[in-house]
Structures are given as C-alpha cells and as structure tokens.
Amino acid sequence: MMSLTSAQISNALKPYGVTPSVDLIRGIRTYIELLLKWNRSISLTTVTDIEQILRFHFGESLFALSMLPVGKSRLADVGAGAGFPGIPLAMASPNLTVTLIESNAKKYAFLNEVIRELRLRNVTALHSRMEEVKAPGQDFDIVTARALGKFENLLRWAQEGLARDGRIALWLGSEGATGISADSRWKWNHPVPIPRSQRRYILIGSPSSER
C-alpha cells in the first residue's frame, strides 16, 4: 500500500469533483488496507484492484457531495456493507453524522473496525435491519443506499424515517433509475450520470407532500 501515492489518490478522485485533504488521503489509504485484508476472509467487495477501488467505491461515493448539501445533517446509510457511501462521506464531511445500518454480523464487525482505525467520531454502526431502526424525534436528513436492491421496502421505510425536508440518494443502474423515477410518492431530480461509469447514476428525491 506504500505504493499508493497522494497523487494517485488525488488524480483518481478528480473526475468526481473531489480535492482530497491530507487527512482524507491518509484515511483512504488505511481504509483500503483494511478492506483488502478483511476481504480475504469475508466477501466485502468483488473490486480488488486499488485504482478501481478508488474510482468505484470512493469516487462514486464522494461524487454525491456535489448534489447533497450535507452540512450538519444526519445521514442513514442502509445496507452499508463495506461502508460505501456512508464512511467516505463522513470522512470528507466531519460535521455530518452518519449511521451505518447493516444486518450482516461480519460486515458489521468490519464497519466497526474501520470506525475504530480511522477514529471516526461522527459514525455509528448498527447491527440491524432497517425496519428495526426507529428513532422518534431523530429523523434522518439524508438516507443513502448503494447496490441495496430492495428499493420498495427502502422507499417505504425512508418515507417514515426522513425529516420533512429530507432526501434520499440512490446509486443505480439506468434501468433502476428509470423505474424508481416513476414512483409518484416521491419528487425525483433527474438522474445524474456518474463519471467514468457505464450506465450508472445517482438519483436524489424527496417524499411528496402527500406522504
């Protein structure tokens, strides 16, 4: 991992509109080391080339910053898996409070290891299904999901779990983006194509006033 230079990280993230700080670069190196180490024992990602990890996981995650005014928001990353997009967003936005929701025990253990190693005080991992996460009076400002698949259940849960002005951000293929955009219970922005990807988009929406 010593061969992964600051210039390589910066160049890989540039197409996504990200200029990483020294701290973010250092954190990304550590994160990738942990990801590859744990991936030998449990299935976290099929992407193992470092350059691809930078683009596919970190670049695609951080690209959402150009569309989401995170500020001091509360974000729930549903089906967090290996921590994308929630952890990179938290790394780049220290005022963002992130809750990682993951039902798989081994992936939950990995998420906690990343949180400890990166000393991410603004991130909490929950070993839970999203339906079990209820926080009256603590609605989330943003809900994210990447490669989750069960969007009908997610949209139903998000309608209840989002603050009044909350938003949901989904990482999707073109067919998924087209299909979900037709859901009239939500007001959807136009899907934004992800740089350097083939037919992948970020779709952002908010619940309609009739929820």
Side-chain angles (χ1 to χ4, degrees):
M1 192 59 63
M2 292 298 293
S3 62
L4 184 59
T5 67
S6 298
Q8 284 178 296
I9 295 174
S10 296
N11 290 335
L13 297 182
K14 187 175 181 179
Y16 305 94
V18 178
T19 303
S21 66
V22 172
D23 287 342
L24 181 55
I25 288 173
R26 185 183 301 115
I28 287 173
R29 283 202 191 97
T30 300
Y31 197 164
I32 293 177
E33 288 176 354
L34 290 170
L35 179 66
L36 294 177
K37 177 182 177 181
W38 280 64
N39 203 55
R40 300 187 195 108
S41 301
I42 66 174
S43 178
L44 292 169
T45 179
T46 59
V47 181
T48 56
D49 177 79
I50 292 176
E51 289 287 341
Q52 291 294 324
I53 289 173
L54 283 170
R55 292 197 294 268
F56 183 69
H57 287 315
F58 289 94
E60 289 199 6
S61 296
L62 294 171
F63 182 55
L65 291 174
S66 63
M67 291 163 268
L68 290 171
V70 293
K72 293 184 178 180
S73 302
R74 295 160 295 184
L75 183 149
D77 187 15
V78 179
F84 305 100
I87 291 180
L89 291 173
M91 293 167 66
S93 308
N95 290 327
L96 179 67
T97 300
V98 173
T99 300
L100 306 171
I101 302 172
E102 176 53 53
S103 60
N104 182 284
K106 293 181 179 179
K107 292 178 180 178
Y108 167 73
F110 170 74
L111 294 173
N112 276 307
E113 179 72 4
V114 175
I115 292 170
R116 284 192 296 269
E117 287 292 325
L118 299 184
R119 300 180 182 180
L120 296 173
R121 297 183 179 181
N122 59 332
V123 183
T124 302
L126 297 180
H127 182 207
S128 176
R129 297 170 62 248
M130 64 180 175
E131 295 87 353
E132 299 167 345
V133 178
K134 302 293 183 183
Q138 296 293 325
D139 292 339
F140 296 107
D141 302 297
I142 303 169
V143 169
T144 60
R146 186 169 178 259
L148 181 65
K150 300 178 181 178
F151 290 111
E152 180 63 29
N153 293 339
L154 172 67
L155 294 176
R156 187 182 304 113
W157 178 82
Q159 280 189 307
E160 300 296 326
L162 277 173
R164 181 164 298 276
D165 296 325
R167 301 181 187 184
I168 189 168
L170 305 174
W171 281 247
L172 299 162
S174 57
E175 291 184 5
T178 299
I180 291 175
S181 294
D183 191 326
S184 60
R185 296 170 299 176
W186 293 76
K187 295 180 291 185
W188 298 105
N189 298 343
H190 290 294
V192 178
I194 297 173
R196 305 192 70 176
S197 70
Q198 295 182 348
R199 299 165 62 85
R200 285 181 55 75
Y201 299 81
I202 293 180
L203 179 65
I204 294 177
S206 58
S208 69
S209 57
E210 299 179 357
R211 64 170 173 166

